[in-house]
Amino acid sequence: MAITKTNAQILDFTAQLVAQDEEFPMLQVLNNEGKVVDEDGLKRSELTDDDLVKIMKNMVLSRQLDIRSTKLAKQGRFGFFAPTAGQEASQMASAYAFNDEDWIFPGYRDIPEIIAKGWPIWKAILWSRGHQLGNEYTTEDGREVKSWFPQIIIGAQYVEAAGVALGLKKRSKDAVVYVYTGDGGSSQGDFYEGINFASAYKANAVFFVQNNGYAISTPRNLQTAAQHLAAKGWASGIPSIVVDGNDAVAMYLAAKEARAWATAGNGPVLIETMTNRLEPHSTAGDDPLRYRTQGDIDEWWKKEPLIRMRIFLEGKKLWSEEIEAAYIAEVDAEIDTAITTADNVEKQKISDYLKHTLEVPSQVMQEQIAKFESEGK
């Protein structure tokens, strides 16, 4: 039976899969060798030399936090820690596009972005240990750090962020919510609910999906058949793009443009960042060599974001080994002080945990608090 050409195209399912792949080219400004491949994109970012150096410093800060936190975890002096090596551009360069009035909704791997907003490192250490002061989001001098707590439930921050983003819109705030999850988070129901709600109400939100290759031990290609995770944003009617997550300039440019779009009342944007988690999922016993090869890890280390940003800045005479070494020493000294501060904070008692579970303890909890306090616990 004859069928129209248009209908034949509609029913060509194979062609649809090809079209999905072609619809999401990857935004890139710096290639793996640190060379500029889009001069106009670099100009459009409007990044000054000072900005570029600050982004690099934030990335180095993140790497040192990763190195030192891993060592502390192995010594039993750190609580839960999710390594961040390989994701410095995806996290720190994107976060640089937002300001103090913007709210960050992080996942548990996004501690460095909160620190970049002014959250003291010693509080981040206490957060890892489960201390209630680790959920106090203020700077050293008492100013509010607009951050939600790092979400442990995979993808749940997307729903929470959508509500705050709508609140910012209803209050006509020149601010957005920016929220991070991993590729595994994009397979969760909260992910879809969050982007759909924000889209329906054109809320002020920028959603990041950090495609780092693995949801713990599950490879990205086993958790979804989507050609691109960014395509999931289209289902809710929001602009969605794919960005080279190891390219700091491209990450900043994408975040900057998305923020401008959202604050103009156009609704949210979804950004999929192509990067890689170079270390274990967490320091809680995960062995990445059980689900990936050393060769694969080694290849990604050759493309990690600090290398290309370092080459780019050295070419502009803005960075050097000496500058980096001096800054690492500065960061290490700050971390040393933070460790001492965290270690000297009074340990919580059982009664303290109960007091901070609910704003108003229930009758049963009040009885438990009184019992433990009477026992000095």
Side-chain angles (χ1 to χ4, degrees):
M1 181 180 292
I3 188 170
T4 67
K5 181 178 180 182
T6 298
N7 283 344
Q9 291 174 336
I10 291 171
L11 296 172
D12 188 343
F13 302 136
T14 300
Q16 280 199 30
L17 293 178
V18 173
Q20 285 184 29
D21 191 42
E22 294 176 346
E23 285 295 334
F24 291 94
M26 185 173 70
L27 180 70
Q28 185 183 70
V29 179
L30 298 179
N31 65 14
N32 288 338
E33 290 72 44
K35 302 289 179 58
V36 177
V37 294
D38 183 2
E39 289 286 355
D40 289 336
L42 177 59
K43 292 177 182 177
R44 183 161 170 168
S45 74
E46 298 181 316
L47 286 167
T48 66
D49 287 350
D50 285 344
D51 288 327
L52 291 168
V53 170
K54 287 177 183 177
I55 289 174
M56 182 62 182
K57 284 188 172 182
N58 284 351
M59 291 167 63
V60 172
L61 167 66
S62 180
R63 179 63 60 84
Q64 286 308 114
L65 286 169
D66 176 87
I67 293 171
R68 296 295 302 278
S69 299
T70 299
K71 289 180 179 178
L72 287 169
K74 290 179 178 179
Q75 296 168 3
R77 302 171 64 194
F78 207 88
F80 176 81
F81 178 64
T84 57
Q87 297 185 214
E88 291 87 356
S90 178
Q91 295 174 313
M92 305 306 272
S94 62
Y96 192 76
F98 301 94
N99 61 43
D100 290 345
E101 295 305 308
D102 296 324
W103 279 85
I104 180 174
F105 275 66
Y108 51 74
R109 202 179 306 279
D110 300 301
I111 303 299
E113 296 100 294
I114 319 175
I115 291 172
K117 281 179 75 72
W119 194 43
I121 294 173
W122 64 269
K123 290 186 179 180
I125 295 172
L126 289 180
W127 177 84
S128 81
R129 298 174 179 176
H131 197 288
Q132 71 93 11
L133 284 180
N135 274 315
E136 181 182 275
Y137 295 95
T138 54
T139 62
E140 291 286 13
D141 58 0
R143 291 180 294 106
E144 180 185 28
V145 174
K146 289 182 167 29
S147 174
W148 197 242
F149 59 85
Q151 182 57 265
I152 298 295
I153 302 171
I154 307 299
Q157 61 269 37
Y158 263 56
V159 171
E160 297 161 341
V164 174
L166 178 59
L168 294 176
K169 179 181 177 65
K170 290 176 72 67
R171 289 167 174 76
S172 300
K173 296 289 187 179
D174 181 21
V176 301
V177 168
Y178 57 113
V179 53
Y180 296 89
T181 193
D183 44 290
S186 72
S187 296
Q188 295 292 103
D190 289 355
F191 168 86
Y192 293 99
E193 293 167 15
I195 61 176
N196 187 68
F197 182 93
S199 174
Y201 290 97
K202 294 190 181 301
N204 299 9
V206 178
F207 297 110
F208 291 95
V209 178
Q210 299 190 89
N211 186 349
N212 66 14
Y214 295 88
I216 305 183
S217 60
T218 304
R220 173 255 188 266
N221 66 334
L222 290 184
Q223 62 175 292
T224 178
Q227 301 273 49
H228 298 276
L229 302 182
K232 299 184 178 187
W234 277 16
S236 65
I238 64 177
S240 306
I241 62 174
V242 175
V243 183
D244 184 342
N246 287 358
D247 176 355
V249 177
M251 281 305 311
Y252 173 82
L253 175 60
K256 170 178 173 285
E257 298 276 336
R259 185 189 185 281
W261 173 271
T263 55
N266 298 308
V269 175
L270 185 137
I271 301 173
E272 176 186 1
T273 76
M274 304 302 295
T275 184
N276 196 270
R277 191 194 79 218
L278 298 174
E279 297 175 323
H281 171 263
S282 76
T283 54
D286 170 51
D287 179 7
L289 292 181
R290 296 184 65 181
Y291 51 85
R292 63 187 302 192
T293 66
Q294 186 62 54
D296 175 47
I297 297 172
D298 292 342
E299 284 302 310
W300 275 103
W301 270 107
K302 295 175 184 177
K303 299 182 286 187
E304 62 100 342
L306 267 67
I307 292 176
R308 72 172 77 177
M309 191 63 166
R310 189 179 291 127
I311 294 172
F312 173 59
L313 293 186
E314 286 175 348
K316 292 172 68 65
K317 308 299 182 185
L318 298 174
W319 199 253
S320 66
E321 288 186 19
E322 292 75 21
I323 292 174
E324 185 164 333
Y327 184 64
I328 288 174
E330 180 183 329
V331 170
D332 280 341
E334 183 179 357
I335 294 174
D336 288 339
T337 300
I339 294 169
T340 301
T341 301
D343 287 346
N344 288 332
V345 170
E346 184 179 357
K347 302 296 186 290
Q348 289 188 117
K349 299 177 181 178
I350 297 174
S351 54
D352 292 326
Y353 282 106
L354 290 167
K355 288 177 183 178
H356 295 295
T357 299
L358 298 176
E359 185 176 3
V360 180
S362 66
Q363 180 61 40
V364 172
M365 292 173 69
Q366 290 178 29
E367 294 172 359
Q368 292 173 330
I369 290 169
K371 175 181 180 296
F372 284 118
E373 285 185 331
S374 69
E375 299 172 355
K377 299 180 181 177

